[in-house]
Amino acid sequence: MILPAVLLMLGVLTAAVGPRLLARADWPDREPIVALWAWQCVIAAVLLCCALSMTFSAAAAWRAVGGHVFTGAPGAVVEAYTLGTAGLWAHVTAVALACGGLWSAAMLVREIARARTRRRTRRAELLRRAPLLPGEETTSDRLVVLEGDRPDAWCLPGIPPQLVVTTAALRRLKGRQLDAVLAHERGHAQARHDWLLHCSSALAEGFPQVPVFSAFRDEMHRLVELAADDTASRRFGRLTTALALVELNEDRGVFGPGPASRADVPARVHRLLAPRDRLTPGRRLRLTAVASLVPVVPLLVAFLPGLRALG
């Protein structure tokens, strides 16, 4: 049975071609939300290829598994998948892919557990530095102001998300710049970008030798910032959002020649100050539809023998 091998080859091809096509395209920076969706579809297709290959390998290796997979299927469909004709490779493939799936789940659980631990620690520190007043309740629109010499603002994920800004940022940000910064952080919270970052980090740390997962993590960190920038700029203008980014980061050396922890900030500022035209709604819809079809291809390949038998 060659179907598991075909699915694995399709997964490798998707992992190799998908990131290259997205890297060469001229629209991801113009439409970061569409690009986020496209990347998720590519990764979903790769994982789906592995899951389907594992399922059919296990069905070919062990009749008990095959009986569960093809429960209620006509005899012609079961025969089309030629169960029971595989050799040792089916056992090895099924076990290896199952271990990979369990490892991925373990990495995701570990990443979520670490994130929750960090979140609890930061919330406890936040309550220590800015305790609630008598009768005050924590709400999603509560803005916490902390004493600090470095201008900064961030959103602490959770239920409800917590917006935090330092006193140095309040002194530096002028006019509607503070509103733009807060809109940026609310954009992260409303879109639940933290979950995208957790999933991409789990895959990249679990499989550091797989380039597509490392690229996925890097692009998620970059694209979520662009998407949040667009959320703020649509409400308060590109110039205001760009100036707010400059005010928050100019003391960190990000605009100098040396490396910095936020080296993407100059590119974000340039993008806001010299914007390229957005894609038309029709093209955005077409790109979204094409990206949505990528995970459908493995399903079509997997069901093709059965559909032929029924047809």
Side-chain angles (χ1 to χ4, degrees):
M1 190 169 113
I2 65 171
L3 183 58
V6 171
L7 287 167
L8 278 181
M9 292 177 60
L10 180 61
V12 172
L13 182 64
T14 304
V17 174
R20 291 186 180 182
L21 291 177
L22 288 171
R24 293 178 181 177
D26 64 346
W27 55 266
D29 285 3
R30 298 159 66 185
E31 299 293 345
I33 295 178
V34 179
L36 284 169
W37 175 247
W39 267 101
Q40 292 175 73
C41 289
V42 169
I43 297 300
V46 173
L47 297 179
L48 189 57
C49 285
C50 294
L52 290 171
S53 181
M54 178 195 68
T55 300
F56 288 117
S57 297
W62 299 286
R63 288 189 175 274
V65 177
H68 287 292
V69 172
F70 294 98
T71 300
V77 172
V78 178
E79 186 177 351
Y81 287 94
T82 60
L83 295 179
T85 62
L88 180 63
W89 66 268
H91 297 75
V92 175
T93 302
V95 171
L97 291 176
C99 291
L102 292 174
W103 181 250
S104 300
M107 290 297 99
L108 181 58
V109 171
R110 188 186 71 168
E111 178 65 23
I112 293 175
R114 286 179 174 179
R116 287 183 174 178
T117 300
R118 291 193 300 266
R119 191 180 306 157
R120 284 196 297 266
T121 302
R122 293 179 68 183
R123 283 186 178 271
E125 177 66 14
L126 201 61
L127 283 176
R128 185 187 67 81
R129 296 180 61 186
L132 295 175
L133 298 175
E136 184 181 8
E137 297 182 359
T138 303
T139 59
S140 59
D141 58 350
R142 179 175 180 261
L143 176 63
V144 176
V145 179
L146 295 181
E147 288 285 345
D149 297 330
R150 169 174 289 186
D152 203 358
W154 67 91
C155 180
L156 192 60
I159 302 177
Q162 186 67 71
L163 291 173
V164 184
V165 64
T166 63
T167 52
L170 294 180
R171 290 192 295 267
R172 295 289 296 272
L173 298 174
K174 305 175 182 63
R176 305 179 73 187
Q177 293 175 10
L178 176 61
D179 295 328
V181 169
L182 297 181
H184 174 102
E185 299 301 334
R186 289 192 180 100
H188 284 312
Q190 291 170 359
R192 298 309 303 266
H193 287 158
D194 55 309
W195 280 102
L196 281 177
L197 300 181
H198 293 332
C199 293
S200 62
S201 296
L203 288 173
E205 292 180 10
F207 303 93
Q209 304 303 322
V210 181
V212 67
F213 294 147
S214 299
F216 179 51
R217 176 194 56 194
D218 296 340
E219 283 298 287
M220 288 303 97
H221 280 82
R222 189 179 71 89
L223 290 172
V224 297
E225 294 300 331
L226 299 187
D229 286 344
D230 288 349
T231 299
S233 64
R234 281 194 289 268
R235 292 191 59 189
F236 301 102
R238 289 181 174 272
L239 178 59
T240 300
T241 306
L243 291 175
L245 279 175
V246 172
E247 293 292 343
L248 287 178
N249 294 280
E250 66 176 349
D251 292 339
R252 303 180 185 185
V254 298
F255 298 103
S261 59
R262 297 190 180 185
D264 62 322
V265 174
R268 289 166 55 194
V269 172
H270 177 75
R271 175 178 175 269
L272 289 167
L273 295 178
R276 299 175 62 186
D277 292 337
R278 294 192 63 187
L279 302 181
T280 62
R283 189 178 178 192
R284 291 200 300 271
L285 182 60
R286 287 193 298 271
L287 288 171
T288 303
V290 170
S292 302
L293 290 176
V294 174
V296 177
V297 175
L299 295 175
L300 293 177
V301 173
F303 293 146
L304 185 59
L307 294 175
R308 280 186 173 180
L310 293 175

